[in-house]
Amino acid sequence: MTDGSVDKPTAGASYAAAGVDIDAGERAVELFAPHAKRATRPEVLGGLGGFAGLFSLKGDYREPVLAASSDGVGTKLVIAQAMDKHDTVGRDLVAMVVDDLVVCGAEPLFLQDYIAVGKVIPEMVADIVKGIADGCVDAGCALLGGETAEHPGVMEDGHYDISATGVGVVEADSILGPDRVRAGDVVIAMGSSGLHSNGYSLARKVLLDWGHMDLAGHVEEFGRSLGDELLEPTRIYAKDCLALAAESDVRTFAHVTGGGLADNLARVLPAGLSAELERNTWSPAPIFSLIAQRGRVERAEMERTFNMGVGMVAIVAPEDTDRAQAILTARHVDNWVLGTVKRGEPGARGSAALVGDHPRF
């Protein structure tokens, strides 16, 4: 601009020139369609490409109740983008959604994803959807549909965020929750596969910003690179929890996510009851020790930020403890008795507390 006039393009404006590539979006759909088709169920009606996903609620339900949950993966995505590895975070996304659904006893039926990208790179989007489809297959739910949105000028090229909503079903008289929990019940821990999808802002600050560790660098304690350890997918407990609830007297579950073990367990305890959890029953994995030592992170902060090695908790009737553990062991789920539910102050909110010390940490 030299004379006060506004420079105008010599050619007509287009969506592509503005940063949105419809052709790339269509190519991404072509690449991820085979993955999406793997994650299905008999109740799914029609195929991909419709404006809405259709799901027939078949089955001999007496009084079905639908359950819904929405979540994302958080800043774990920063690690995936830095390593240019995008085929695992989809599993994390599914886990965060379906493992919330099963807490109340709901069977995950279907999931819909949302992927926001700075620029559609078809192969990258296909990798993300592959991971989502893999997770849905593991959880036994269908990938019913989703949306990929290109946001030029809002997100940088190569950057993305993902979220999803899942829907499940449970019989009204089979809903698990605090009202079923009794004093004397036993708390069983299910081991996590690592950090899962919480606490990555602190982990990145300590290990990468302060510690200047290399994501590609081999770490002896892990037996692999730091990046591979940080990208270990969140364990999907959905089928394990449903099998446990079907074959033993489960009062409820607690999915250990943001807030840590004690806070998440307290959410499923009724007023007047408290859970006492023994640290001496397990040793957190080396990744937790590394973060605590490198960042001089206090134990209370670690336990409010990370799962510390416990990804899911089941509260069971005391007489079913051995049976519940046998079921989980048969399903190759690392498990142990974590503590018990006791009477607390009458009328006080349900609470949980960790006591003692870990054998190694």
Side-chain angles (χ1 to χ4, degrees), residues 11-344:
S14 68
Y15 213 10
V20 177
D21 191 339
I22 295 175
D23 292 336
E26 292 176 347
R27 174 59 178 157
V29 173
E30 291 176 6
L31 291 177
F32 70 59
H35 299 301
K37 288 178 181 177
R38 288 189 292 111
T40 189
R41 287 174 56 118
E43 301 95 331
V44 175
L45 304 179
L48 295 173
F51 286 92
L54 301 177
F55 191 95
S56 174
L57 198 60
K58 295 179 180 179
D60 299 323
Y61 298 109
R62 290 172 284 103
E63 191 177 351
V65 175
L66 294 179
S69 175
S70 297
D71 214 332
V73 178
T75 62
K76 187 172 188 174
L77 297 179
V78 176
I79 307 296
Q81 291 159 19
M83 295 186 66
D84 195 24
K85 181 175 173 57
H86 314 284
D87 60 347
T88 62
V89 290
R91 284 181 178 269
D92 293 291
L93 179 63
V94 176
M96 297 303 288
V97 173
V98 300
D99 287 345
D100 275 357
L101 289 175
V102 297
V103 165
C104 69
E107 175 190 1
L109 296 176
F110 60 83
L111 179 140
Q112 290 202 310
D113 64 70
Y114 178 79
I115 304 172
V117 299
K119 178 179 177 61
V120 170
I121 301 171
E123 294 76 15
M124 182 181 74
V125 174
D127 278 350
I128 296 170
V129 176
K130 175 186 180 299
I132 296 173
D134 288 343
C136 286
V137 170
D138 287 351
C141 67
L143 179 54
L144 194 59
E147 168 73 1
T148 300
E150 195 167 26
H151 291 166
V154 177
M155 305 177 73
E156 296 180 22
D157 293 357
H159 287 201
Y160 57 85
D161 195 12
I162 58 178
S163 64
T165 294
V167 172
V169 64
V170 59
E171 289 284 1
D173 59 4
S174 298
I175 296 174
L176 305 178
D179 59 302
R180 293 176 174 249
V181 181
R182 302 287 183 268
D185 285 346
V186 175
V187 182
I188 297 177
M190 301 181 214
S192 71
S193 56
L195 299 186
H196 281 186
S197 299
N198 296 102
Y200 275 79
S201 294
L202 178 55
R204 289 187 301 110
K205 176 65 69 175
V206 168
L207 302 179
L208 305 181
D209 295 351
W210 294 350
H212 302 291
M213 294 184 70
D214 181 4
L215 288 173
H218 181 85
V219 180
E220 186 175 352
E221 299 97 306
F222 306 152
R224 56 181 173 177
S225 73
L226 174 63
D228 286 339
E229 177 71 18
L230 293 176
L231 283 185
E232 178 66 33
T234 305
R235 173 145 196 164
I236 296 174
Y237 301 94
K239 287 185 177 180
D240 304 314
C241 290
L242 292 174
L244 190 61
E247 300 177 44
S248 66
D249 189 359
V250 174
R251 311 299 204 193
T252 189
F253 297 102
H255 186 197
V256 183
T257 56
L261 176 55
D263 284 0
N264 280 286
L265 183 55
R267 294 168 63 182
V268 296
L269 294 175
L273 293 185
S274 176
E276 188 172 277
L277 312 176
E278 300 280 352
R279 292 190 185 94
N280 64 12
T281 59
W282 89 101
S283 294
I287 182 63
F288 300 105
S289 301
L290 182 66
I291 294 169
Q293 293 166 7
R294 291 291 184 99
R296 298 180 181 177
V297 184
E298 295 183 358
R299 183 165 72 179
E301 183 67 16
M302 290 292 298
E303 292 177 344
R304 281 182 56 85
T305 305
F306 301 103
N307 66 58
M308 298 300 288
V310 181
M312 180 72 77
V313 168
I315 301 178
V316 304
E319 62 271 18
D320 264 16
T321 303
D322 290 344
R323 178 173 177 78
Q325 287 198 266
I327 292 167
L328 291 172
T329 299
R331 297 186 64 84
H332 308 290
V333 179
D334 186 26
N335 67 92
W336 62 94
V337 172
L338 183 60
T340 56
V341 177
K342 301 180 179 181
R343 296 195 183 281

